[in-house]
Amino acid sequence: MKLGHPIHHPQPPEWAKGPNIEPLPLARELPPASSYPVDALGSIGAAVVQAMYTVVQAPPALIGQSILAAMNQVAQPYANVCIDGRVSPLSEYFLTLGESGERKSAADGWALAGVRTHQKQRMQSYEQDRTTHEKEMEIYETTTKRILSDKKLSSEDRQTQLLALEKPCAPVMPLLIVSEPSTEAIQRQLIIGLPSIGLINDEGGQFLGGFAMSPEKRLGTLTTLSRLWDRGEFDRVRVGDGSGSYYGRRLSLHLMVQPAVATSLLADPLAREQGFLARCLTSFPQSTAGMRSYVEADLSQDMAYQAYAQRVQALLTNPWPLKSEHELEPPLLFLSPQAKRDWIAIYNDLEAQLGQDGCYAGVRALASKAPEHIARLAGTFAVFEGVSQIQADHIARALHLMLHYLDEALRLWGAGQVKPELRLAQELLSWLREKLGPNRAISLTEIYRNGPAAIRSANTARQVMRVLMEHGWVTPAVHPRAKEAFELVVRR
């Protein structure tokens, strides 16, 4: 159905008269993003970002986030950072903001191609192993029933034969990437599957707007994700089986989200106060749309990409340090003496900026965790590059990245704190621009029946349209079948 009808103009309000009237912005304009320190990713990481930028032409920060998140995922099983007895996993959470058409899927696809290929190969073997396991279980259950039903056996003989049976172990589900699970699904995967996985989604709105982040599940989801980031463990309490505490698990996270969707998370008091946002490294790069020409090149044949892919493959195929089939026992990764001195100096400098007059007072939650983020990123570099100790160069590179993330938090966290009515007005304005052609009117009824999901009543629609009228974006219009109708203001 085509929305809108030809417009018959009533007398416009005062703010809509005249050729020089400019609509008022619904939110303050964001300052420019700080440049993403691509070189901080190291020789392999920086080279592959440059190669991908040449071909894919997505923003360097978007590509850098994808590469860094992939590096973190394949590195996280291998070590824990230890500073003066304080032990932290390597796992990191990344949020990347980008409009539709920024080539988020392309960047994510190339960054994780090796992980997905490895997962596919292991899943093929898993299917064969599961078929074998089902046959073994049939034999086991049949034998168990025979022993239990054999009346010739004494109780002692029956018990002896049952104890002699070895119950077949189920094969481990080799899933490395999950995209849109509930908290329960994440927990179950870490219980029955591999102990190190990545929650990756190049359309992160599916996760943020899904069941796991619904009002009744939101706190539980954020708490579970935060605890996995903190210590790589979680508790699971269920009626019946499956309750327990689980350790030695690792979860990395990378959500690529459209800005309109991310705003709700950045402005969410629960996400801030609970600490989830302080555990996320967020970047919102400037768009490259409109400046991209097709490049005739096969990225898979590029030497920089091949070097990156080979290192990813090595970390996927090397044996993980396991305590049991489903539990990691990563060795401790220490800082060199110079790296530790540098880290302590950074810690003290950042702490001095957390006071009321400090430059990071507005993002205190993230800044207070910045030293730990730096240690985790530096540990990721050390593991990915195959060295046994965190060096001063790793700390310096991690600091450059962290300064970018702090700048982005200062830029974005404040922007997220927009009044709800203005945020809803912006959402409706975007919808109207998409649906209404030139010289078309739309009724109030059409708006609340067909418009954004948050507007589902005449009263709400009327209030939001009043905001848009007050800011000069719409004006009343005559509609053939409605008393209340509107049109977009045409800027002369």
Side-chain angles (χ1 to χ4, degrees):
M1 181 181 73
K2 188 173 183 179
L3 296 177
H5 294 272
I7 294 170
H8 303 282
H9 298 276
Q11 183 66 25
E14 290 300 318
W15 46 259
K17 295 178 180 178
N20 298 319
I21 299 299
E22 289 289 336
L24 299 174
L26 293 170
R28 68 178 178 86
E29 187 176 347
L30 284 176
S34 65
S35 60
Y36 190 86
V38 172
D39 288 344
L41 299 181
S43 58
I44 295 176
V48 74
V49 170
Q50 181 58 53
M52 287 174 61
Y53 176 69
T54 300
V55 178
V56 178
Q57 300 180 75
L62 189 151
I63 298 172
Q65 288 281 88
S66 294
I67 291 296
L68 183 55
M71 291 167 62
N72 182 254
Q73 182 182 349
V74 297
Q76 68 179 357
Y78 288 97
N80 292 329
V81 177
C82 183
I83 303 176
D84 292 329
R86 301 174 179 89
V87 178
S88 298
L90 297 185
S91 306
E92 280 289 13
Y93 293 170
F94 300 91
L95 292 177
T96 306
L97 280 59
E99 298 284 1
S100 179
E102 288 296 349
R103 300 183 175 172
K104 299 187 291 290
S105 298
D108 175 76
W110 283 107
L112 288 171
V115 180
R116 291 194 168 96
T117 298
H118 185 76
Q119 175 177 283
K120 182 178 179 180
Q121 293 169 347
R122 292 192 63 173
M123 285 296 291
Q124 291 171 347
S125 299
Y126 169 77
E127 293 299 330
Q128 297 174 358
D129 293 342
R130 189 173 65 172
T131 300
T132 302
H133 172 70
E134 290 172 353
K135 293 177 180 177
E136 291 174 344
M137 281 299 298
E138 288 179 8
I139 296 172
Y140 172 80
E141 290 170 358
T142 300
T143 305
T144 300
K145 289 178 182 178
R146 180 183 57 77
I147 294 171
L148 290 173
S149 62
D150 190 345
K151 296 180 180 180
K152 296 180 181 180
L153 294 174
S154 65
S155 296
E156 291 182 359
D157 289 340
R158 183 177 294 112
Q159 187 67 18
T160 298
Q161 290 191 28
L162 288 173
L163 290 174
L165 287 178
E166 187 174 342
K167 186 176 182 178
C169 292
V172 176
M173 169 76 78
L175 204 61
L176 290 163
I177 296 174
V178 294
S179 59
E180 193 188 342
S182 63
T183 302
E184 291 80 5
I186 294 174
Q187 292 175 339
R188 178 164 175 76
Q189 185 56 42
L190 288 170
I191 292 171
I192 68 167
L194 298 174
S196 176
I197 60 176
L199 173 52
I200 314 292
N201 197 324
D202 56 14
E203 292 295 341
Q206 296 175 2
F207 176 77
L208 296 179
F211 176 72
M213 294 294 281
S214 60
E216 63 273 16
K217 291 288 184 179
R218 197 176 190 88
L219 178 59
T221 297
L222 295 177
T223 300
T224 297
L225 292 176
S226 294
R227 190 172 178 192
L228 278 167
W229 187 92
D230 289 342
R231 298 187 294 275
E233 61 187 53
F234 61 90
D235 297 325
R236 190 189 195 208
V237 179
R238 298 182 63 185
V239 176
D241 63 342
S243 296
S245 296
Y246 300 91
Y247 308 94
R249 270 60 171 189
R250 295 294 180 267
L251 176 74
S252 64
L253 178 147
H254 185 205
L255 299 179
M256 293 177 155
V257 190
Q258 293 193 15
V261 178
T263 296
S264 62
L265 178 65
L266 295 173
D268 184 359
L270 180 61
R272 291 191 183 211
E273 294 167 11
Q274 187 274 340
F276 176 72
L277 280 179
R279 293 166 172 84
C280 294
L281 302 176
T282 306
S283 187
F284 182 11
Q286 175 141 6
S287 174
T288 56
M291 300 177 286
R292 305 170 302 201
S293 299
Y294 182 77
V295 176
E296 296 183 69
D298 182 351
L299 187 56
S300 67
Q301 302 304 308
D302 184 272
M303 292 181 62
Y305 183 80
Q306 290 180 348
Y308 163 79
Q310 288 169 7
R311 188 58 191 148
V312 168
Q313 181 66 16
L315 289 169
L316 288 170
T317 54
N318 288 344
W320 289 353
L322 294 171
K323 184 174 183 179
S324 65
E325 206 169 24
H326 302 286
E327 183 177 344
L328 290 164
E329 194 173 36
L332 299 180
L333 181 63
F334 297 95
L335 280 65
S336 72
Q338 184 59 54
K340 185 178 178 183
R341 286 192 293 270
D342 293 346
W343 182 86
I344 291 173
I346 292 166
Y347 182 104
N348 292 333
D349 286 345
L350 287 170
E351 181 64 26
Q353 299 299 325
L354 298 184
Q356 187 173 356
D357 298 326
C359 63
Y360 295 132
V363 290
R364 183 178 298 169
L366 176 63
S368 65
K369 290 191 178 298
E372 183 170 357
H373 280 296
I374 290 169
R376 290 174 182 233
L377 291 171
T380 297
F381 296 147
V383 171
F384 192 82
E385 293 161 17
V387 298
S388 59
Q389 191 177 56
I390 295 174
Q391 301 298 321
D393 175 64
H394 298 137
I395 294 293
R397 286 156 48 193
L399 172 62
H400 290 157
L401 282 162
M402 195 65 226
L403 291 176
H404 168 76
Y405 295 127
L406 287 167
D407 286 345
E408 287 291 85
L410 288 168
R411 188 171 72 102
L412 298 171
W413 285 21
Q417 298 183 47
V418 178
K419 292 181 179 179
E421 61 269 23
L422 292 179
R423 190 180 309 117
L424 198 54
Q426 182 62 63
E427 185 177 353
L428 178 57
L429 178 60
S430 299
W431 183 81
L432 290 170
R433 284 170 166 169
E434 180 182 344
K435 298 297 181 184
L436 286 185
N439 300 318
R440 309 298 294 181
I442 187 169
S443 69
L444 188 73
T445 303
E446 288 176 290
I447 291 172
Y448 68 78
R449 284 183 177 176
N450 304 314
I455 303 173
R456 282 294 178 265
S457 71
N459 187 49
T460 302
R462 191 175 291 114
Q463 291 176 358
V464 176
M465 291 306 292
R466 185 177 297 119
V467 171
L468 290 177
M469 285 194 294
E470 290 172 351
H471 284 73
W473 291 102
V474 299
T475 186
V478 175
H479 193 283
R481 295 191 299 273
K483 293 182 179 180
E484 293 180 88
F486 308 88
E487 63 164 313
L488 290 171
V489 171
V490 178
R491 298 172 69 175
R492 300 172 177 85

